[in-house]
Amino acid sequence: MPNQASNQYHLTKLYSFIGEEPGPVKEMVVIFLQSSTELLQDISTGITLQDFEKISKAAHKLKPSLDIFGIDDMYDTIREIELNARNKTNPDLIKQRIDQLENRLKPAILQMREDYSL
Amino acid sequence: MESFRIFIVEDDPLYGEMLKHHLSLNPDNEVHLFKTGSDCLKNLYKNPSLISLDYSLPDLSGLEVMRHIKKESSDIPVVIVSGQEDISTAVTLLREGAYDYFVKDDDVKDRLWNIIKKIRENLLLKSEISYLKEEIGRKYEFRNVIKGNSPAIKQIFSLIEKAIKTNITVSITGETGTGKELVAKAIHYNSTRAKKPFVAVNVSAIPRELIESEMFGHEKGSFTGAVTRKTGRFEQAQGGSIFLDEIGEMDLHMQSKLLRVIQERELTRVGGNDLIKIDVRLIVATNRNLAEEVHKGNFREDLYYRLLGLPIELPPLRFRGNDIILLAKHFLDEFCLENKLPKLSITEAAQQKLMQYPYPGNIRELKAVIELSAVLSDSEQIDEQQISFNSTNASSNFLLEENTLNEYNTKIIRYYLDKYNNNVILVAKKLDIGKSTIYRLIKENKL
């Protein structure tokens, strides 16, 4: 059983959605790892290129996944990124929030990879 | 019931897979996942029962996809699943025909599950209704309903076949109990209008002051007692057929209103101003001679010709020969089955008796006679004692006995002698014959 003692994430909502069978749960974890890594990359590229639409779209897509994987403490942060990017306002705040998001999400991703031997 | 096909249109792979997994937990659901709006549109030919549509897709907006879906098939329920709560978008989508709108939150799966349950129930009801309509159609397959092999009834079959191929108005005439409504139903349920309503109106059963509102409906407040708007029988029959029974009983005022509706194919509810288009097939019936009523001034000539259409004159049962026995056996079997009685047969003598009666009440009367005989029977057979005719205007079956003239003479004299206590002189006077004729018959032991 994966070790979730680090509290980097929890799967309560995922379980309520798809049940606790290890096979499907691992499948979802794989999809999350792949898509969240890609979306974080999109956000990062977006800030480098000042492409706010890209940032807004990636943040919008990432938001429900974070909720499902119990990284819900980042909800307000990602919402701020999405809204400010959509309105092309507060670029500094966006940058700041993206850093916060990366600092929170990267260890969670690492933990998940370790827990599921991925 | 066939599987419930669900399309999930979702570009977020995690959310899409989760929904797919969750909804596939019910083995009756067949779930397809599409990542773009155009992929979904390309697969609409698979005829999904429900589409869960993400509002933000990479190629098209949720609204655009939904408009395409609605254009292709307005019946498919589309549920919009959005990443954020946006009241104005939700209102727009719901106005454009979305079945529901909800935000991707913890409740999504339960809400989707509930919606699927509701839609499935709806589909089940629809398929039950469609099945029942087909059943009614089968029930009224006219050769199953209208029994008989006589030339008279074969002629009717041929007319019904002609009637079901077109929308022509049909006027059915015939004595009471000959099955006018049955023929009307057979025409409707075998025509292209079979899946639309069949509305029967007995004109003579509706009070004169209410008939207009009954037929054409009324608006709220149009008269005392009109507390709500009411649709009339013509509107209820929209797309189907209306059967106006006892049309000969309609008063002249209503006749002129009916004529206008038939001519213009539109009506106005009582107290209303809007013209309502109607597409209704008309079948009328009467046991009166309408041509005679026109002659007497009781029926409008112009309406008479409008209603005449294809005339079907149902033969009285007494002219249908062996159909009497065929129908009697059918009613007997039906009655025994309905009442869980052992199957009964009809003896030769009882059949003879049935054949000799003139049936003023026609098939309805025969059915009643047979049902009574089945109740009275103590064995597996119905014999002549159990056949009793109680018709209110039963003329004697005297002529149906087909005796010779001499035999009839003898019977008449015997009847009078019985009636007048064998007073030969009185009977001879009553019948205007010679006393010797009576004495001769007595001598010959014929009386």
Side-chain angles (χ1 to χ4, degrees), chain B residues 233-248:
Chain B
R233 299 303 187 95
F234 269 88
E235 272 186 87
Q236 289 165 10
Q238 193 67 274
S241 310
I242 190 162
F243 173 56
L244 303 178
D245 198 4
E246 312 265 20
I247 188 81

Side-chain angles (χ1 to χ4, degrees), chain A residues 13-14 16-18 24 27-29 31-32 35 57 60-61 63-65 67-69 79 82 86, chain B residues 11-15 17-19 21-22 25 54 56-58 82-85 104-106 108-109:
Chain A
K13 283 186 184 169
L14 182 68
S16 83
F17 235 107
I18 64 161
E27 261 179 57
M28 297 304 153
V29 170
I31 294 170
F32 172 73
S35 68
K57 278 188 175 169
H60 176 77
K61 252 172 122 176
K63 198 170 51 183
S65 308
D67 184 45
I68 293 288
F69 278 83
R79 183 111 174 94
E82 184 191 355
R86 193 196 296 160
Chain B
D11 69 325
D12 176 348
L14 176 70
Y15 220 82
E17 285 297 339
M18 274 195 332
L19 280 181
H21 184 91
H22 177 67
L25 291 175
D54 181 19
S56 311
L57 292 166
S82 173
Q84 63 205 29
E85 211 164 330
K104 286 177 184 170
D105 58 17
D106 299 354
V108 165
K109 62 178 183 16

Side-chain angles (χ1 to χ4, degrees), chain B residues 6 8 19-26 29 31 112-113 116:
Chain B
I6 303 167
I8 297 169
L19 280 181
K20 185 178 176 187
H21 184 91
H22 177 67
L23 298 177
S24 301
L25 291 175
N26 181 342
N29 291 342
V31 188
L112 260 181
W113 200 263
I116 290 167

Side-chain angles (χ1 to χ4, degrees), chain B residues 7 15 17 19 32 35 51 68 88 121 134 151 164 187 197-198 209 213 244 271 275 284 297 307 330 373 432 434 436:
Chain B
F7 280 11
Y15 220 82
E17 285 297 339
L19 280 181
H32 298 255
K35 289 192 166 59
I51 299 178
H68 276 103
S88 64
E121 282 168 1
E134 277 170 28
I164 61 181
I187 292 170
F198 173 85
E209 59 276 16
S213 116
L244 303 178
L275 285 173
V284 300
L307 295 180
H330 166 70
S373 69
D432 195 20
S436 55

Side-chain angles (χ1 to χ4, degrees), chain A residues 38-55:
Chain A
E38 279 171 17
L39 292 170
L40 264 186
Q41 185 59 51
D42 281 356
I43 290 172
S44 200
T45 318
I47 202 74
T48 313
L49 302 174
Q50 294 288 290
D51 183 346
F52 290 104
E53 203 185 331
K54 196 179 184 81
I55 299 170

Side-chain angles (χ1 to χ4, degrees), chain B residues 26 63 72 185 238 281 318 323-324 347 375 422 440:
Chain B
N26 181 342
L63 185 59
E72 287 277 318
K185 282 182 179 168
Q238 193 67 274
R281 193 225 188 118
R318 61 185 170 276
D323 282 355
I324 294 171
T347 63
V375 172
N422 293 324
R440 181 175 51 81

